[in-house]
Amino acid sequence: MTRSAGSGNVRETGSHEGGAQRRLAHELARAAAACPLVNLTGPLGVGKTRLARSLDAQRIDLSRPHASDDLREAVREAGRGPLVLDGVDGRTALECAASVLDEAPAGHRPVVLLSRRPLRAAEGWGGGDVVTLTVPPLTDDGIAALAGRSGIEDQAARDVVVRLAGGIPLLARAACRALHAGTAPTALGAVADEVSVEILRRLARELPGHRKTQTLRLLATVGAADEKLLASGPELFTELAGLSLVNRSALGLTVAEPYRALLDMAYRWRRPDQHAALLSRAARYRGRMLTAPASPERRAELTEQSMFLAGDPVIRQTLFPPGRPPAPIGAARPCDADDIGRLMHGWASLKGFDQRRTERLVAQWLDDDITGFRLARDADGQPIGLTSLIPVREQTLPGMEPLLQQHAESLVADGDRGGLFLGAAFCPEPAIHAQLLRHILRQAVTVGRLVVSTADPGYHRLLDSLAFHRHGGIRDDIYRCGRAPEVYSNDFTGAALPAWLRRLGATGTVDGPVAAHVAEALSTLHTPGELAGNPLLTAPHTATVRALRAWLEEAVDTLAAGPGTADAEAGRILRAYYLDRSGTHWQVARSLHISRATYFRRLRRGVAALAERHGG
């Protein structure tokens, strides 16, 4: 997390943000004076209404009663200044605005329309051509300054506001209210709940109805969902797709950041049992999809979702933090060499690496193939982050050997095993840095293999959580930072993916239909309404929810008390994770002093043993 500025810099940052707002206000005034229709757009809560107040203009809120009548009369008033239409969101408001503008006389007064999505992307928009201006989110320092002006003086609390807001002022103010009301900064779910209430309240004009709201929460929890996973039916699915917060992706609908993360955190805080059960069901669904033939690109999409659904706290915090909309990532060009040098200098400074050593490595990587660098760019096209992904082949071995040393022969000798080598990944913005890391993993799945050498303890934790094979350290402290890099690798071929995802705990897949029913029953053990639909209820000895719960508890305890070491470990794992809900998979493994690989082998062994005992 990039920390917000101290009080001395907040005034400077606020001045910078204020300058940007003034420039945008000037651009809006100029467009309103020159164009008959201007669309001021940006996500929910970004500050469109506040910016539009800089105009000397009449304002009509289309969400209020009789707004359409007021609008028809106001548009016909010739010779007056701009007319601002707020709340041009949802089908009713869009149709109203389009109809009135379509009937308006030629030369009507300038109209500025405020909408969460560009009107050009709105279904049924027929109100004419528009000039589109987009209100961008604030920077993290801008949000920190806003929190300071809101009276949030504690640095930890201010960091929470920055982390959750994703640059959206409305969300920042809601988080500040939660903190002022006494919610502890460490209770992120509770703060996120306050913010999510504000999101859903503002979204009501687009999404009326409790069922639709609940389905939106479920979509935010699973990350991406098709119609079957949501079990929503075609009409509701289509309505959700029309929301300003919802986008279409290769795997179905997704909720835009930072709204997705906030709705997900709030749902997990309110209903932890149902949240966990939903993740488990979604993981099994995606796991089954990964067993079917698919292109490498499709496998990459499914693998990313499976990692998200695994629920490991290190993976979630590092790869899927609350944040901003994604930045475009593409291969570097020769003209980007200076920007690469600048970013790598920042990377070395952040990590405490020797700059000369780093420069020599970067020069080698640039000489090998500059397109091995992938750059994330901001809205102006300027590079703000990078990753170095070197294809493993004979001519690139000199650039990898210093970071692999004694491991080079077995991992990249002669370049005959192929794959990618990760040299560096850096972006000071946490959300874009996470996007770069996900990009690396997607490329690795597409190619089939990834080799990593890193001296960063944070990356060590991430790679261990990702169940990479750890080969050990190299001989030399290559970066002169007081620690030698550790070397990791992982195979991502189609044949290797299912076993890797099982080690990760990211599929929930077990062998056999009865075992799948047992796993489902354990996941929903504390949710009687969901347990009531389990197929195990058809057996005479588990014919009711109460009988099934009692049988599962007795079977787990019997397994844990058995003479066999492996079975006893399996029983203790099932007891701790499912019955006692003692923590995440990772936390339970640590409490039982079991490695992750052994933990998931024992977990599957325990489920299989219960399935055999049940007898189908």
Side-chain angles (χ1 to χ4, degrees):
M1 171 64 66
T2 302
R3 295 184 68 83
S4 53
S7 58
N9 289 329
V10 167
R11 288 190 292 273
E12 179 183 344
T13 298
S15 175
H16 173 75
E17 294 286 352
Q21 291 292 306
R22 286 191 294 273
R23 287 192 295 273
L24 190 54
H26 177 72
E27 188 176 358
L28 174 62
R30 186 171 53 187
C35 308
L37 292 177
V38 178
N39 180 204
L40 187 64
T41 186
L44 183 155
V46 77
K48 301 180 292 296
T49 300
R50 183 177 294 241
L51 183 65
R53 291 194 184 116
S54 65
L55 294 174
D56 182 13
Q58 180 184 359
R59 177 176 173 268
I60 296 177
D61 187 347
L62 292 184
S63 65
R64 295 183 177 178
H66 311 297
S68 60
D69 296 335
D70 296 339
L71 174 57
R72 284 186 170 85
E73 181 179 345
V75 169
R76 294 190 180 96
E77 295 179 2
R80 296 191 59 183
L83 173 65
V84 173
L85 301 188
D86 204 347
V88 189
D89 302 297
R91 182 175 300 175
T92 301
L94 279 166
E95 290 177 352
C96 171
S99 173
V100 171
L101 291 172
D102 190 50
E103 298 169 0
H108 64 77
R109 64 193 293 193
V111 179
V112 179
L113 303 102
L114 277 54
S115 65
R116 294 165 182 166
R117 271 186 174 170
L119 292 179
R120 293 180 184 275
E123 180 183 358
W125 171 252
D129 291 334
V130 295
V131 173
T132 303
L133 298 177
T134 302
V135 182
L138 297 183
T139 64
D140 282 356
D141 285 340
I143 292 294
L146 184 156
R149 292 192 299 272
S150 298
I152 302 299
E153 299 178 356
D154 178 69
Q155 185 64 57
R158 198 176 294 188
D159 285 346
V160 165
V161 175
V162 170
R163 177 182 177 185
L164 297 182
I168 305 299
L170 174 77
L171 308 186
R173 295 187 185 97
C176 289
R177 288 198 304 273
L179 294 168
H180 281 308
T183 306
T186 53
L188 286 180
V191 179
D193 185 66
E194 173 77 18
V195 182
S196 71
V197 169
E198 182 70 12
I199 292 171
L200 295 172
R201 186 178 71 82
R202 295 296 186 101
L203 202 61
R205 65 174 179 248
E206 296 182 57
L207 185 69
H210 171 74
R211 180 168 177 242
K212 297 175 185 177
T213 299
Q214 178 63 7
T215 306
L216 183 66
R217 286 194 181 103
L218 301 184
L219 174 59
T221 296
V222 299
D226 54 23
E227 189 178 301
K228 182 176 180 180
L229 181 55
L230 273 185
S232 58
E235 292 183 2
L236 180 54
F237 190 84
T238 301
E239 290 179 2
L240 285 176
L243 293 177
S244 61
L245 300 187
V246 175
N247 301 315
R248 288 179 169 89
S249 72
L251 295 182
L253 302 181
T254 63
V255 180
E257 296 290 357
Y259 312 96
R260 185 214 60 77
L262 290 159
L263 292 170
D264 175 35
M265 292 168 69
Y267 186 57
R268 182 170 66 244
W269 179 74
R270 287 193 175 203
R271 300 187 176 184
D273 289 350
Q274 293 183 11
H275 183 276
L278 179 60
L279 286 180
S280 181
R281 289 199 301 274
R284 285 193 292 276
Y285 180 69
R286 295 304 187 192
R288 289 193 296 270
M289 295 178 74
L290 268 169
T291 62
S295 67
E297 292 75 17
R298 176 73 168 176
R299 288 201 302 270
E301 296 275 1
L302 290 168
T303 300
E304 181 175 316
Q305 275 300 294
S306 295
M307 288 188 292
F308 172 82
L309 294 167
D312 183 285
V314 174
I315 295 174
R316 275 293 185 96
Q317 292 166 14
T318 309
L319 297 182
F320 304 98
R324 302 166 182 272
I329 298 175
R333 305 180 298 265
C335 62
D336 294 318
D338 288 344
D339 284 316
I340 291 172
R342 170 180 58 81
L343 288 168
M344 290 298 293
H345 181 87
W347 174 72
S349 296
L350 179 69
K351 304 296 184 183
F353 295 163
D354 181 87
Q355 288 286 355
R356 291 185 179 181
R357 289 287 187 111
T358 303
E359 288 170 4
R360 285 199 291 270
L361 284 171
V362 173
Q364 178 69 60
W365 296 341
L366 289 171
D367 288 342
D368 289 340
D369 184 4
I370 194 172
T371 62
F373 283 94
R374 314 291 173 90
L375 300 179
R377 300 179 185 272
D378 63 15
D380 297 323
Q382 297 301 309
I384 55 174
L386 61 70
T387 178
S388 170
L389 277 176
I390 304 171
V392 177
R393 49 179 182 255
E394 188 172 357
Q395 57 267 42
T396 61
L397 295 181
M400 293 181 274
E401 195 280 333
L403 288 171
L404 295 176
Q405 296 182 9
Q406 72 268 29
H407 304 289
E409 182 176 354
S410 61
L411 292 175
V412 298
D414 303 322
D416 58 352
R417 293 189 62 187
L420 296 171
F421 173 78
L422 175 61
F426 171 69
C427 181
E429 163 55 47
I432 305 303
H433 182 246
Q435 185 191 348
L436 283 165
L437 296 179
R438 297 197 304 271
H439 176 81
I440 292 166
L441 291 165
R442 289 166 66 97
Q443 294 299 310
V445 174
T446 302
V447 173
R449 185 166 173 263
L450 181 65
V451 178
V452 183
S453 177
T454 176
D456 187 331
Y459 284 161
H460 296 164
R461 289 191 295 272
L462 175 62
L463 292 166
D464 287 336
S465 292
L466 285 171
F468 271 51
H469 179 63
R470 189 169 188 162
H471 300 279
I474 63 175
R475 291 185 295 265
D476 183 24
D477 176 8
I478 185 71
Y479 293 116
R480 297 295 185 263
C481 62
R483 55 190 183 276
E486 294 279 339
V487 178
Y488 294 78
S489 72
N490 196 58
D491 290 332
F492 289 99
T493 61
L497 273 177
W500 172 64
L501 290 170
R502 283 196 295 272
R503 293 199 309 273
L504 196 65
T507 63
T509 304
V510 291
D511 298 327
V514 177
H517 300 331
V518 168
E520 174 75 15
L522 289 168
S523 297
T524 58
L525 188 65
H526 300 281
T527 313
E530 297 186 30
L531 189 61
N534 194 284
L536 296 179
L537 294 172
T538 59
H541 57 294
T542 53
T544 66
V545 169
R546 178 175 294 181
L548 178 55
R549 289 188 62 176
W551 182 88
L552 286 169
E553 292 175 357
E554 186 272 334
V556 167
D557 288 339
T558 299
L559 190 66
T565 301
D567 284 344
E569 280 189 348
R572 288 196 294 272
I573 288 171
L574 295 180
R575 159 60 69 178
Y577 184 73
Y578 290 110
L579 275 62
D580 297 338
R581 295 184 293 178
S582 300
T584 65
H585 286 303
W586 177 233
Q587 290 167 337
V588 172
R590 290 183 62 183
S591 69
L592 296 177
H593 307 290
I594 300 173
S595 71
R596 289 180 61 83
T598 301
Y599 174 87
F600 287 109
R601 285 198 302 270
R602 297 289 188 263
L603 182 68
R604 293 192 296 275
R605 182 188 184 102
V607 171
L610 263 61
E612 182 178 359
R613 178 185 175 95
H614 189 271

